[in-house]
Amino acid sequence: MHTPFAPQRPSVSHVFKRTDLQSGQPVWQRAWLLLGLVLMALVVQGRAWAQTPLDNIAQVAVGGSHSCALTKAGGVKCWGENTHGELGDGTVIHRAFPVDVTGLTSGVTAIAVGVYHSCAVTTAGVVKCWGYNSSRQLGDGTTTSRSVPVNVNLTGGSVVSVGAGQDFTCAVTAAGDVKCWGANFFGQLGAGNTTARATVGDVVGLSGVTSISVGGSHSCAVTNTGAAKCWGYNGGGGLGDNSLTTRSTPVTVSGLATGVAAVAVGGGGAFSCALTTAGGVKCWGVNMYGPAADMYRLTPADVPGMTSGITAITKGAEYTCALTSGGGVKCWGFNNSGRLGDNTTTNRIDPVDVVGLGSGVVSIAAGPLSQHTCAVTSAGTLKCWGLNAYGALGDGTETAQYSPATVLASAATVVNVNARADCFFRWAEASFPQFFPPTATSVTIPLLYYRYYPSTRTYLAVLATDSRVYAMGPVTADQPVDLGLLDAFLPTAGCQ
């Protein structure tokens, strides 16, 4: 192992040409073999580092290619795709690590995530939404997308929960009423028509509601009498009323007028499931991965092996997951990108165990048209698996995970090297302008803070994982070279 770069003012060119005393190889060759892949992985937000898990999580919600979490302190953090501002951080920059939602670091009681928008309910019973707004799904009376939360123009009492779909949103009030807004092509607003709604309105003939699930273009609710009622698109039989007729007002699901504890809705009007008060699961709609003769189930049917012992259910794009009374997770259905979490991409007719989650899980979430799933553990951490477009799994990568990966805390909260690195960069520029002329571009990405000097095509970087300094440019044959610990330079550089 070569000796770390000494803190006295050395010749940078000498450092670049040093020879490893044990191997006889130039340092830059050794650095490439040992460190090059690590550094490049960091540049693309790879998974080659240890990181602190995101913790103290109370709830998770999943959308198309983004996810959000509610902390036990009442704050909201989001990660993944941010094309329309759906992460709520005031930007449209995709994030592979969680970021705080602007103005919602406390005071939130519930969250919901749609395909391209997100919503939260505050302790005051107010609904705030952000993200894509082409169909007025944010409820602020405009079609302007928002990168920070805005209040929904909702009257008629405080809200206790909210559901977000593909391009519409619904909320349950403390009085048990349901109000919806946004797109209404298939009557998914429950207003008795298919007219687009610019303002928030009531779902016709629905009261006493305790929970709701909102999908791609249909919704289902549970009443205080244990009935399951659905409305919207029904081309796949997802309303469960023994027909394929689309409905603009709620209908009772066949055979489920009582005894229902929760419902879960998938994309479009294709399929839905109910959790019974006895802990069983019943599903209806398109049965894509069942026997060919059973393609459509227009009324609820029991899921094999799941007639008891289930405490929660969730649905994504053509798949379903369930939480057992023992804290385990089981999934079934389409398995492209590993969304079932069994470390394969094999479609499953029957439920299979999610790898590593046989116990210790307290809640699960998929979402409208989602291809990834997340779970909250009893320790308050998050596990996610499946498609990882835009970093939707929050593990710092964009690589699909066929088994659960840990959602990581934002890199910026782990080690803050920027202030010390800035001082070091200024010293290096003053001392060795032939390599580091003062005109440079500074960049911060997860776990890496660097400057690029275009006139010499040279990089000078500090890693937040271990505060080591690296250089790369023509003089190093464009290979990263480890110059030593940042702290070793600071006394000579005059940095505190």
Side-chain angles (χ1 to χ4, degrees), residues 5-19 27-28 424-437 453 456 458-461 469-477 479-484 489 492-493:
F5 190 33
Q8 62 268 22
R9 295 168 66 92
S11 166
V12 173
S13 60
H14 173 70
V15 172
F16 287 0
K17 295 175 183 177
R18 286 177 304 148
T19 299
V27 170
W28 68 263
F424 164 71
F425 289 155
R426 289 193 297 270
W427 169 78
E429 292 163 359
S431 302
F432 308 104
Q434 69 272 35
F435 298 110
F436 314 118
Y453 302 87
T456 59
T458 301
Y459 293 85
L460 196 57
V469 179
Y470 294 86
M472 185 171 69
V475 74
T476 70
Q479 310 298 332
V481 173
D482 181 359
L483 299 184
F489 288 94
T492 298

Side-chain angles (χ1 to χ4, degrees), residues 127-434:
V127 182
K128 294 176 178 284
C129 295
W130 58 96
Y132 198 39
N133 199 24
S134 65
S135 299
R136 297 183 173 87
Q137 57 263 52
L138 301 189
D140 66 344
T142 77
T143 55
T144 303
S145 296
R146 311 286 185 174
S147 62
V148 296
V150 293
N151 286 348
V152 174
N153 296 331
L154 189 151
T155 59
S158 64
V159 170
V160 294
S161 65
V162 64
Q166 180 170 351
D167 46 16
F168 72 108
T169 313
C170 295
V172 179
T173 71
D177 299 322
V178 178
K179 298 176 180 290
C180 296
W181 57 95
N184 197 29
F185 302 109
F186 304 103
Q188 59 260 51
L189 300 187
N193 57 52
T194 56
T195 304
R197 180 183 282 168
T199 58
V200 176
D202 292 321
V203 173
V204 175
L206 197 58
S207 62
V209 171
T210 58
S211 65
I212 191 169
S213 179
V214 178
S217 52
H218 79 295
S219 302
C220 293
V222 179
T223 70
N224 53 17
T225 61
K229 294 179 177 286
C230 300
W231 63 96
Y233 183 68
N234 199 25
L239 302 190
D241 66 341
N242 201 29
S243 81
L244 294 174
T245 303
T246 293
R247 311 285 185 177
S248 61
T249 57
V251 293
T252 301
V253 177
S254 180
L256 295 181
T258 60
V260 176
V263 285
V265 170
F271 51 99
S272 310
C273 290
L275 174 66
T276 70
T277 53
V281 180
K282 296 176 179 286
C283 295
W284 58 94
V286 174
N287 190 27
M288 188 70 72
Y289 301 100
D294 196 21
M295 178 64 76
Y296 292 100
R297 289 179 174 173
L298 301 184
T299 59
D302 290 327
V303 175
M306 308 200 89
T307 55
S308 64
I310 304 302
T311 60
I313 54 175
T314 188
K315 295 189 70 66
E318 301 178 278
Y319 74 105
T320 309
C321 293
L323 177 64
T324 72
S325 56
V329 183
K330 296 176 178 286
C331 298
W332 63 97
F334 192 43
N335 199 18
N336 185 42
S337 301
R339 67 191 77 174
L340 302 188
D342 66 341
N343 207 30
T344 77
T345 56
T346 303
N347 301 332
R348 306 290 185 176
I349 297 174
D350 298 318
V352 293
D353 292 326
V354 174
V355 174
L357 294 183
S359 63
V361 174
V362 296
S363 66
I364 54 176
L369 307 182
S370 72
Q371 299 181 50
H372 71 287
T373 314
C374 294
V376 181
T377 72
S378 56
T381 59
L382 282 177
K383 302 281 186 178
C384 296
W385 59 95
L387 186 65
N388 200 12
Y390 304 101
L393 302 187
D395 66 342
T397 81
E398 293 186 1
T399 303
Q401 303 295 337
Y402 300 164
S403 59
T406 301
V407 176
L408 304 177
S410 173
T413 66
V414 180
V415 180
N416 185 358
V417 301
N418 291 22
R420 292 180 296 144
D422 278 335
C423 182
F424 164 71
F425 289 155
R426 289 193 297 270
W427 169 78
E429 292 163 359
S431 302
F432 308 104
Q434 69 272 35

